[in-house]
Amino acid sequence: QVQLVESGGGLVQAGGSLRLSCAASGRTSSNYAMGWFRQAPGKEREFVAGINWSGGSTYYGDSVKGRFTISRHNAKNTVYLQMNSLKPEDTAVYFCAAARFSFNNIDYWGQGTQVTVSA
């Protein structure tokens, strides 16, 4: 079992920055690829960014490429999402996720943290 706890969400003006953190605990969490998803009201959950277990490969959704950066610190069991140049359309609940094999098949989810970007 892997437990994921997100933090760092909040209210920010358009053009601003936030950094989300996801603290992982439990069974060999460093063996998992980690990702961030988001869900806005009335919309489906969408993939934002992912990183493999070593941190050597990263993946991004088209809407955040060039603005968001995912990283991980395995010794701290923490994954980060640095979000720059935020837009109102980035407003959503952001979820941390752990995947053993694929981001299409998530094994564990965090509880989510709200990010609100004002115009």
Side-chain angles (χ1 to χ4, degrees), residues 27-94:
R27 183 179 176 182
T28 56
S29 56
S30 62
N31 289 342
Y32 289 77
M34 300 296 294
W36 289 93
F37 290 73
R38 67 186 182 187
Q39 188 166 19
K43 294 188 177 181
E44 292 188 354
R45 192 170 296 189
E46 67 167 337
F47 173 78
V48 174
I51 188 166
N52 72 338
W53 69 273
S54 69
S57 295
T58 56
Y59 316 90
Y60 296 94
D62 288 341
S63 61
V64 307
K65 282 180 182 176
R67 299 188 298 122
F68 291 10
T69 302
I70 188 171
S71 60
R72 69 189 296 167
H73 194 308
N74 282 343
K76 294 182 178 180
N77 291 323
T78 302
V79 178
Y80 305 97
L81 184 68
Q82 178 66 44
M83 305 185 294
N84 298 329
S85 301
L86 283 161
K87 305 175 181 180
E89 50 264 44
D90 294 316
T91 295
V93 178
Y94 283 71

Side-chain angles (χ1 to χ4, degrees), residues 12-23:
V12 64
Q13 287 187 332
S17 298
L18 278 176
R19 189 176 81 156
L20 304 183
S21 299
C22 173

